[in-house]
Amino acid sequence: MKTNSNMRKKAWILLILVMVAMLIPVKYDSNNGRKEYRAIAYQIVKYHDNNACDIFQGSHWFGKKIGTEIKIFGIIKIYDSVKFVPNHADVVLSPAE
């Protein structure tokens, strides 16, 4: 009976260690102003991209991408405050127009 109790304790300790390991993030920096904090269980991306480009009705808008995005397991987006802020009047039309 004592060995069964010891095995149960070891299983619980192993389970807790695995769950804690899933929550430890690793930081990634990119050249475009984006910072990512990735763990197995979640991902946090902070945007501060000054050279962002957005396409709106065939025109290219240049500006900034600012905000935070949080995903669980890299799939389920639970928070998204990312906004594209265009520059004052920097509109470049596509070559087809």
Side-chain angles (χ1 to χ4, degrees):
M1 284 247 248
K2 193 160 187 133
T3 58
N4 193 13
S5 175
N6 285 339
M7 290 297 286
R8 209 178 274 181
K9 260 188 202 177
K10 289 179 184 178
W12 276 106
I13 290 172
L14 181 65
L15 179 67
I16 290 170
L17 288 176
V18 167
M19 291 180 74
V20 167
M22 290 176 66
L23 297 175
I24 298 173
V26 177
K27 182 179 178 182
Y28 295 97
D29 283 330
S30 65
N31 294 338
N32 61 358
R34 185 173 78 178
K35 293 181 183 176
E36 289 187 43
Y37 302 92
R38 286 191 223 160
I40 295 172
Y42 65 93
Q43 176 182 7
I44 299 173
V45 182
K46 293 185 177 186
Y47 292 95
H48 192 75
D49 186 3
N50 289 329
N51 298 320
C53 179
D54 193 24
I55 297 175
F56 177 71
Q57 295 179 351
S59 299
H60 296 280
W61 295 76
F62 295 99
K64 299 178 185 179
K65 201 181 228 187
I66 301 171
T68 304
E69 182 178 88
I70 301 174
K71 294 180 182 178
I72 296 176
F73 297 113
I75 301 170
I76 304 165
K77 193 181 294 186
I78 60 169
Y79 181 75
D80 187 5
S81 70
V82 178
K83 296 178 187 172
F84 178 77
V85 180
N87 290 341
H88 291 293
D90 296 339
V91 178
V92 178
L93 298 177
S94 63
E97 294 179 358

